[in-house]
Amino acid sequence: LGFDYDVISVLVNYCKARAEQKGRRRRISLRTIEQEAYAWAEQGIDTMEEAAAFIQNQNVRRSQLGQLMELLQIRGRNLTPGEEKYARSWLDMGFDQEVLKIAYERTCLNTGGLSWAYMNKILTRWQAAGLFTLEQVKNGDRKPAPKGASGQLGQAEMDAIAKLLREE
């Protein structure tokens, strides 16, 4: 791939550190390093500066993921691949932590616990509506009222009530 020796050294250390963070105690394989090298090459990471920026970005993402896991009360285990996919997509959407907290609370109240798919529907709806901050969610998340639900009874309802009262 044409990497400098310094970039290869950083790559190997990055792979080793990532494996340790995921709880893998055994040595990393050459295949793992090779796969990561190809991923770096595809992203255009071939200098020390680009490698350092990439690793810094990954550290920030890992920190955000840790904060999200804490918010979701997930402790003592790693996320499954499916859970991690949801979590990373939510972080990519750009929500404030407070917004994620509200979505989690609504999910728990409506489902009795954490439902990844349910929380994802809330967040994708907010993203589509452009609601990314606490203030935006408070002001903009109004579920539309059902059709005909003006809060007042229409003539048909009044007639039905009158008929019921006459029958008694």
Side-chain angles (χ1 to χ4, degrees):
L1 299 174
F3 289 156
D4 289 339
Y5 293 116
D6 293 338
V7 174
I8 294 171
S9 177
V10 169
L11 172 71
V12 170
N13 285 319
Y14 170 75
C15 291
K16 182 180 176 191
R18 193 174 66 179
E20 289 172 358
Q21 291 162 358
K22 291 185 176 184
R24 297 187 187 122
R25 302 236 184 262
R26 61 188 169 137
R27 293 184 182 178
I28 56 172
S29 69
L30 287 175
R31 178 70 181 137
T32 299
I33 296 168
E34 180 184 27
Q35 287 174 328
E36 189 65 30
Y38 278 111
W40 282 26
E42 287 175 11
Q43 296 175 53
I45 302 169
D46 58 3
T47 66
M48 286 295 290
E49 293 78 18
E50 292 165 342
F54 172 78
I55 291 170
Q56 178 65 28
N57 184 34
Q58 292 301 306
N59 289 339
V60 168
R61 298 269 304 173
R62 191 175 62 254
S63 173
Q64 291 172 335
L65 196 56
Q67 290 171 356
L68 180 59
M69 287 176 65
E70 184 67 28
L71 181 134
L72 300 176
Q73 301 176 6
I74 298 172
R75 297 176 189 96
R77 69 173 183 89
N78 292 326
L79 295 177
T80 67
E83 292 171 336
E84 190 168 341
K85 184 177 178 181
Y86 275 123
R88 290 194 182 280
S89 74
W90 300 341
L91 293 174
D92 289 342
M93 290 178 190
F95 290 109
D96 288 350
Q97 285 289 322
E98 289 299 314
V99 172
L100 294 170
K101 189 174 184 178
I102 290 172
Y104 174 60
E105 184 158 333
R106 286 188 185 181
T107 299
C108 289
L109 288 172
N110 291 324
T111 66
L114 174 58
S115 167
W116 292 88
Y118 190 93
M119 187 167 166
N120 191 58
K121 286 181 182 178
I122 292 171
L123 292 171
T124 53
R125 189 180 80 237
W126 287 349
Q127 180 192 31
L131 309 175
F132 295 96
T133 65
L134 180 61
E135 194 64 31
Q136 290 171 336
V137 168
K138 283 183 178 179
N139 294 329
D141 186 35
R142 306 268 191 267
K143 288 189 177 179
K147 292 180 181 176
S150 63
Q152 298 179 356
L153 296 176
Q155 189 59 45
E157 290 90 357
M158 294 296 283
D159 292 342
I161 292 171
K163 182 180 175 185
L164 285 173
L165 291 174
R166 283 190 302 264
E167 290 176 2
E168 288 182 3

